[in-house]
């Protein structure tokens, strides 16, 4: 059974000029221990999806439809206190900027210990020993000496390792990692991701990994979801999606990645920009930029359809699509 | 740590120097102490003798050095009005003002901080709106009016609390306290509220806005994402991060509570330093005014030092010397 199921999730923001639909009909599963990569342009709704899963959408944003299930039980409609017990314990979170995610006034040890004593039946002494263990796991040198240091005494990369230790220390089954390395120095991004991947594998932790880095996706994820304008446009196994994306948007996205093995003169860029939430067109949201657009795309919105090994929200994969459409 | 304190004290020296210069200039050039002390009938010989006694025939800097030297020993000369040593007068009056100021500051903090936290967390609740409206009144009404309104309500109409004076005091050494008698405590209530109300609303609004700011921060979101309890998020993580600005303002406010006790003391005829100062101004009693000025400056400087030390205690980022890598 899936660890996490997101079914037809819809997130709305009531504003003065009407309701904005930030996520619409988003559905996906994550199996135990699986890593789901989530990619897409800025504003596609990746962070919003993560926030909805951990139950921390910022008001006035709210879940207006659909369900989120953890091990078959609904968690999207739990009272605050019950959801709080799930956060950290069952679902951990890693945020983007390690310079701002740690409380500057407390030692890292204190922050680790309070997280563990909140969720696990252990006392502060035992939690402290475990905290030292976690700091070693995430690669903090001289953990025993450094546990009583304050966040500002660490570099950005080291702080993100501490954040990862904090997210994992109550041994959640799922981690929502929102661009965990984007704010880090390029030279240490790979190390931190490798460490995160190894730890998740060792502990059997599933992960929803949001990133802009296709290299990270290719190396870390088992499956990938591509998001566009608050919807999933394609989802499937990582190898298939990276090599043979079916949805025109995913194709464009993959073509814009510099290949590792050969030099190219110029990267393909997708023309135009993603529509704002208030101006998402009728029909397929990608129809303003799609090179393969045809009449049906302006009328009806495509659901996720079988496109061979992946599922794509594109009319090209429906019966009766124009000749030569399918790859 | 030690060098930090020393450097702060060194920074305070110029401030105290300037204040003593002003006090001295007032002493030496405002009003004419000789004619005030001699009264109407005097001979030229008496006058010369007094000028010599007071050291007024010395050059300026010698006079100033003598003034500072005396001030350092708590010597501010005789009050023109009461012909008693100024130091003694101030020592008589200081307990009344300090007890009033401490009570007012306590009320301001003990009520202002929780109200600030509450209105910062429950921004839109009905009760928060009520507190905010109430705080607007506290900020906009002048102190003397608040005092008079309180007297009118609780002394004149209800007759519950005295409208003036300190009640019975108990002498402990040179310190006279009003805390040990029932009438002393009753007499404290209205003046302390009057004096503390403005600071209360100020602290409440400050804590509220800092709280709202901190609650938006990433580390609070992360604390929630770690599943910490609301209590720990609000009081452990958020409140502590609001402390640095709150300490600054609260410290400065305590200083101004002591300094501006003048108005409250006048309204309630509270026998403190402020009332002494007002009476001295009326009689051009320069030595008392000079001493009061220097005392207030010393209070501000001390509070600033304490505030800096508290920062140091609250915020580890200020503690230098333990570099990261
Ligand atoms: N408070 C809000 N009110 C209205 N719209 C909002 C609000 N917060 C976010 N949005 C919108 O929701 C959409 C999804 O944002 P989200 O942060 O999930 O994007 P993202 O895919 O994570 O982008 P990025 O790669 O930049 O992190 C965006 O279009 C954003 O403008
Ligand atoms: S549905 Fe039409 S517009 Fe949308 S991606 Fe497919 S071809 Fe392009
Ligand atoms: Mg984001």
């Amino acid at each position: 059974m899936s660890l996490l199921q997101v079914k037809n999730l819809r997130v709305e923001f009531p504003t003065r000029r009407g309701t904005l639909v930030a996520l619409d009909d988003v559905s996906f599963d994550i199996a135990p221990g699986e890593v789901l990569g989530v990619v897409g342009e800025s504003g596609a709704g990746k962070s919003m999806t993560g926030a909805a899963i951990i139950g921390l959408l910022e008001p006035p944003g709210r879940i207006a439809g659909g369900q989120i299930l953890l091990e078959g039980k609904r968690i999207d409609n739990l009272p605050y206190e019950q959801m709080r017990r799930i956060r950290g314990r069952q679902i951990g979170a890693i945020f983007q900027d390690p310079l701002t995610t740690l409380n500057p006034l407390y030692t890292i040890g204190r922050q680790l210990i309070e997280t563990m004593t909140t969720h696990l039946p252990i006392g502060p002494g035992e939690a402290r020993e475990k905290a030292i263990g976690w700091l070693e796991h995430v690669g903090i040198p001289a953990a025993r000496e450094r546990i009583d240091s304050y966040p500002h005494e660490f570099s950005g990369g080291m702080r993100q390792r501490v954040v990862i230790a904090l997210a994992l220390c109550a041994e959640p089954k799922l981690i929502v990692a929102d661009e965990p390395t984007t704010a880090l120095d390029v030279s240490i991004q790979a190390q931190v991701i490798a460490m995160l991947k190894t730890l998740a594998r060792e502990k059997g932790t599933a992960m929803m990994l949001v990133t802009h880095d296709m290299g990270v996706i290719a190396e870390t994820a088992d499956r990938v979801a591509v998001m566009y304008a608050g919807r999933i446009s394609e989802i499937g196994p990582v190898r298939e999606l990276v090599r043979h994306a079916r949805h025109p948007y995913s194709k464009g996205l993959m073509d814009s990645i510099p290949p590792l093995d050969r030099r190219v003169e110029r990267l393909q860029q997708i023309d135009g920009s993603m529509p704002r939430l208030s101006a998402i067109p009728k029909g397929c949201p990608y129809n303003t930029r799609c090179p393969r657009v045809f009449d049906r795309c302006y009328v009806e919105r495509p659901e996720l359809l079988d496109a061979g090994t992946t599922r794509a929200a594109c009319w090209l994969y429906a019966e009766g699509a124009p000749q030569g459409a399918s790859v | 740590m030690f060098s930090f304190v020393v450097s702060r004290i060194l920074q305070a020296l110029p401030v105290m120097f300037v204040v003593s210069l002003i006090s001295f200039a007032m002493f030496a050039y405002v009003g004419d102490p000789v004619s005030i002390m001699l009264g109407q009938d005097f001979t030229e010989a008496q006058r010369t003798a007094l000028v010599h006694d007071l050291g007024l025939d010395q050059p300026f800097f010698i006079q100033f050095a003598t003034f500072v030297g005396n001030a350092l020993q708590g010597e501010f000369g005789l009050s023109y009005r009461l012909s008693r040593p100024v130091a003694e007068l101030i020592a008589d009056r200081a307990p009344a003002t300090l007890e009033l100021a401490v009570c007012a500051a306590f009320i301001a903090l003990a009520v202002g901080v929780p109200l600030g936290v509450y209105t910062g967390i429950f921004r839109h609740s009905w009760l928060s709106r009520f507190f905010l409206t109430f705080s607007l009144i506290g900020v906009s009404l002048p102190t003397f009016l608040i005092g008079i309104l309180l007297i009118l309500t609780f002394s004149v109409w209800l007759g519950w609390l005295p409208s003036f004076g300190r009640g019975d005091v108990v002498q402990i050494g040179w310190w006279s306290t009003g805390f040990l008698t029932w009438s002393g405590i009753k007499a404290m209530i209205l003046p302390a509220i009057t004096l503390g109300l403005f600071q209360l609303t100020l602290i409440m609004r400050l804590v509220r806005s800092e709280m709202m700011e901190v609650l938006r921060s990433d580390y609070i979101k992360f604390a929630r994402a770690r599943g910490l309890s609301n209590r720990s998020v609000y009081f452990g993580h958020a409140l502590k991060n609001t402390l640095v600005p709150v300490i600054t303002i609260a410290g400065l406010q305590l200083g101004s509570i002591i300094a501006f006790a003048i108005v409250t003391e006048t309204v309630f005829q509270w026998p403190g330093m402020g009332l002494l100062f007002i009476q001295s101004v009326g009689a051009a009693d320069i030595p008392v005014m000079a001493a009061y000025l220097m005392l207030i400056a010393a209070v501000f400087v001390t509070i600033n030092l304490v505030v800096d030390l508290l920062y140091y205690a609250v915020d580890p980022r200020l503690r230098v010397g333990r570099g990261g890598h």
Side-chain angles (χ1 to χ4, degrees):
Chain A
M1 188 182 63
S2 299
L3 174 67
L4 180 83
Q5 290 166 277
V6 177
K7 294 184 180 169
N8 312 102
L9 180 67
R10 179 181 175 95
V11 169
E12 292 180 351
F13 277 84
T15 67
R16 250 174 267 130
R17 270 177 268 132
T19 302
L20 292 180
V21 182
L23 294 181
D24 196 3
D25 206 13
V26 169
S27 302
F28 60 89
D29 290 3
I30 299 181
E34 184 185 42
V35 178
L36 176 74
V38 179
V39 295
E41 271 163 281
S42 192
K46 308 181 294 293
S47 301
M48 197 73 69
T49 309
I53 291 170
I54 60 174
L56 288 178
L57 279 175
E58 290 206 22
R62 59 184 198 96
I63 296 181
Q67 297 185 349
I68 301 171
L69 297 95
L70 186 72
E71 296 184 312
K73 290 190 207 73
R74 272 186 82 169
I75 57 169
D76 57 291
N77 55 359
L78 290 181
Y80 184 89
E81 182 57 24
Q82 278 182 42
M83 191 59 203
R84 174 184 80 71
R85 287 170 203 278
I86 289 178
R87 277 197 290 274
R89 179 70 189 90
Q90 314 267 0
I91 308 178
I94 301 170
F95 291 166
Q96 181 171 339
D97 187 355
L99 300 189
T100 56
T101 29
L102 295 169
N103 187 337
L105 302 187
Y106 290 128
T107 63
I108 58 165
R110 194 201 132 135
Q111 300 186 49
L112 276 161
I113 291 166
E114 73 181 342
T115 310
M116 282 188 270
T117 52
T118 299
H119 294 297
L120 307 174
I122 56 174
E126 196 183 333
R128 189 181 163 85
E129 283 310 307
K130 277 183 168 246
I132 293 168
W134 276 108
L135 291 176
E136 282 164 358
H137 280 315
V138 296
I140 305 275
R144 193 168 287 278
E145 286 85 66
R146 303 221 64 194
I147 184 169
D148 293 316
S149 305
Y150 289 93
H152 72 275
E153 297 173 73
F154 293 89
S155 66
M158 285 296 154
R159 279 192 232 188
Q160 195 64 319
R161 288 172 189 266
V162 174
V163 169
I164 290 171
L166 277 163
L168 289 169
C169 69
E171 309 210 10
K173 300 180 182 107
L174 173 70
I175 294 280
V176 176
D178 193 348
E179 308 195 35
T181 57
T182 309
L184 302 183
D185 207 79
V186 184
S187 59
I188 51 176
Q189 286 183 354
Q191 295 170 18
V192 172
I193 279 287
M195 181 273 290
L196 180 59
K197 181 183 166 185
T198 314
L199 263 184
R201 190 141 299 168
E202 271 172 22
K203 306 279 172 189
T205 316
M207 188 152 49
M208 172 178 153
L209 177 64
V210 174
T211 174
H212 285 277
D213 188 336
M214 282 300 166
V216 166
I217 291 284
E219 272 178 37
T220 318
D222 301 310
R223 284 189 307 137
V224 192
V226 180
M227 290 191 72
Y228 186 81
R231 296 150 166 101
I232 290 186
S233 55
E234 186 168 4
I235 184 166
V238 65
R239 296 187 144 264
E240 289 302 317
L241 230 155
V242 171
R243 286 202 205 137
H244 309 291
R246 303 303 204 291
H247 191 287
Y249 175 63
S250 323
K251 270 187 203 151
L253 207 59
M254 300 305 156
D255 284 344
S256 64
I257 311 164
L260 293 174
D261 48 349
R262 66 202 145 82
R263 295 185 157 276
V264 281
E265 284 305 301
R266 209 173 139 268
L267 291 177
Q268 291 291 136
Q269 289 291 341
I270 310 174
D271 291 330
S273 59
M274 198 170 66
R276 273 175 298 129
L277 293 184
S278 52
I280 296 177
K282 189 169 149 44
C284 174
Y286 191 52
N287 65 20
T288 51
R289 300 164 80 185
C290 183
R292 311 281 305 269
V293 61
F294 62 103
D295 44 7
R296 192 175 183 183
C297 310
Y298 294 108
V299 190
E300 276 178 279
R301 210 184 101 187
E303 306 271 306
L304 280 177
L305 302 168
D306 260 322
T309 42
T310 73
R311 289 168 65 74
C314 174
W315 288 129
L316 293 174
Y317 301 96
E319 305 239 337
Q323 280 301 305
S326 301
V327 186
Chain B
M1 178 71 192
F2 179 71
S3 66
F4 176 80
V5 176
V6 170
S7 80
R8 283 307 144 114
I9 291 177
L10 288 179
Q11 281 172 28
L13 282 180
V15 177
M16 288 311 293
F17 180 80
V18 170
V19 173
S20 46
L21 197 62
I22 294 172
S23 308
F24 171 71
M26 200 166 77
F27 212 123
Y29 301 111
V30 180
D32 179 2
V34 178
S35 46
I36 295 172
M37 288 174 89
L38 287 173
Q40 297 296 325
D41 303 315
F42 57 89
T43 64
E44 197 52 36
Q46 276 176 316
R47 186 189 163 84
T48 320
L50 185 60
V51 165
H52 183 74
D53 279 354
L54 293 175
L56 296 180
D57 50 355
Q58 305 275 358
F60 174 85
F61 63 92
I62 303 253
Q63 283 189 43
F64 180 54
T66 317
F67 173 81
V68 171
N70 287 340
L72 284 178
Q73 297 164 36
E75 273 290 333
F76 291 91
L78 289 181
S79 156
Y80 301 156
R81 184 168 66 96
L82 302 168
S83 301
R84 282 176 60 201
V86 172
E88 208 177 290
L89 283 175
I90 295 219
D92 265 5
R93 300 297 195 98
T97 297
L98 290 178
E99 285 188 353
L100 176 62
V102 165
C103 282
F106 177 77
I107 290 175
L109 285 173
V111 181
V113 171
L115 285 192
V117 171
Y118 179 84
T119 53
I121 297 173
F122 303 102
R123 268 176 296 163
H124 304 294
S125 87
W126 179 87
L127 210 53
S128 293
R129 273 168 217 197
F130 170 77
F131 289 140
L132 286 173
T133 316
F134 151 86
S135 82
L136 215 58
I137 298 171
V139 172
S140 48
L141 281 188
T143 306
F144 75 89
L145 199 61
I146 291 172
I148 289 170
L149 287 177
L150 287 177
I151 289 177
L152 207 61
T153 314
F154 293 98
S155 308
V156 180
W157 288 343
L158 297 171
W160 290 349
L161 297 168
S163 62
F164 67 90
R166 259 189 110 186
D168 298 325
V169 294
V170 174
Q171 205 71 30
I172 301 173
W174 63 274
W175 186 276
S176 67
T177 179
F179 288 140
L180 297 178
T181 65
W182 184 227
S183 76
I185 292 172
K186 278 200 333 200
M188 175 65 80
I189 297 174
L190 291 186
I193 292 177
T194 307
L195 185 54
L197 194 64
F198 178 79
Q199 330 292 339
L200 186 163
T201 53
L202 200 85
I203 286 171
M204 166 184 151
R205 288 178 160 261
L206 177 76
V207 171
R208 176 184 126 93
S209 66
E210 287 298 326
M211 197 74 185
M212 279 160 44
E213 178 85 33
V214 169
L215 286 179
R216 275 197 298 272
S217 68
D218 281 352
Y219 54 82
I220 293 297
K221 274 182 220 152
F222 191 52
R224 286 191 201 282
R226 284 187 281 143
L228 303 185
S229 68
N230 271 341
R231 220 185 94 213
S232 162
V233 170
Y234 290 138
F235 295 99
H237 288 263
L239 186 59
K240 189 162 185 193
N241 273 282
T242 68
L243 280 185
V244 167
V246 170
I247 288 171
T248 320
I249 303 290
L252 292 177
Q253 290 309 313
L254 182 64
S256 44
I257 281 181
I258 295 175
F260 296 120
I262 294 174
V263 177
T264 308
E265 292 187 2
T266 311
V267 171
F268 288 92
Q269 288 299 297
W270 188 262
M273 292 187 294
L275 196 59
L276 176 70
F277 179 74
I278 286 290
Q279 289 160 348
S280 307
V281 170
D285 196 347
I286 305 290
V288 177
M289 290 160 65
Y292 180 77
L293 198 62
M294 290 194 61
L295 191 72
I296 294 297
V299 165
F300 268 94
V301 166
T302 313
I303 286 175
N304 260 319
L305 180 67
V306 173
V307 163
D308 283 343
L309 289 177
L310 284 177
Y311 280 175
Y312 197 83
V314 168
D315 194 336
R317 285 166 295 187
L318 301 176
R319 290 170 222 160
V320 283
R322 289 171 73 191
H325 56 88

